Amino acid sequence: MLDLLGISRSQDIITINESLAGIVSSEIGQQVYVKYYASYFPTTINPPSTTSSAPAFDFNAAMRQIRQNVDADLAAGRIDQAEQYMDEQRDYLQTQGYYIRKLNQAYFAFYGLMRTPRLTPTPSARLFRISGISASH
């Protein structure tokens, strides 16, 4: 909000805003799930099959790679190519069991995939620590 008003153009403000929105939505989402939906789903989870030798799909790593490729296309002015690539990757993610209605820049911004982790604690890591949620959660 401060960034939109022109008060602050800080990447930390953007990160704090995204992180806080994520924390609040996770906490509210969990409460809504428990109150209204948990009774509809079984509490037992089937263990993964050990017969497959294929490595497990890493959604977060895939999304980081997609974002990096999209950023490179956009930086080079290849907007149509970036859009096509995101559509193709959305289709690929579906084959891996991840259904995303529309994979675009707004998706990355909403889910906080705009930054790569750094060695020093970020404002979002501090917010997670304050809220009692693991930053890797």
Side-chain angles (χ1 to χ4, degrees):
M1 181 65 131
L2 294 176
D3 187 53
L4 293 174
L5 296 174
I7 295 171
S8 175
R9 286 266 188 234
S10 168
Q11 185 64 37
D12 287 340
I13 294 293
I14 294 169
T15 301
I16 289 170
N17 185 43
E18 291 173 0
S19 300
L20 185 58
I23 291 168
V24 171
S25 67
S26 292
E27 291 179 6
I28 291 173
Q30 180 63 26
Q31 291 174 12
V32 168
Y33 172 78
V34 168
K35 185 170 183 176
Y36 297 106
Y37 300 103
S39 63
Y40 296 105
F41 298 97
T43 56
T44 59
I45 298 174
N46 296 330
S49 172
T50 57
T51 59
S52 174
S53 63
F57 178 74
D58 185 345
F59 177 77
N60 290 327
M63 292 304 289
R64 275 191 299 277
Q65 186 62 54
I66 292 168
R67 180 58 194 242
Q68 289 171 355
N69 292 343
V70 167
D71 283 347
D73 282 343
L74 293 176
R78 297 184 300 258
I79 296 168
D80 291 337
Q81 183 174 334
E83 294 291 330
Q84 180 181 353
Y85 176 73
M86 285 186 282
D87 287 342
E88 291 167 357
Q89 293 305 303
R90 183 202 63 230
D91 294 343
Y92 169 71
L93 292 169
Q94 284 184 340
T95 68
Q96 300 299 313
Y98 294 90
Y99 299 94
I100 300 171
R101 187 183 67 78
K102 180 74 175 163
L103 182 59
N104 56 20
Q105 292 295 90
Y107 178 90
F108 289 114
F110 182 78
Y111 288 101
L113 296 167
M114 295 182 68
R115 298 176 68 125
T116 56
R118 56 186 183 189
L119 296 177
T120 58
T122 63
S124 61
R126 291 189 293 270
L127 279 174
F128 281 117
R129 195 169 43 243
I130 290 168
S131 72
I133 299 172
S134 166
S136 63
H137 180 257

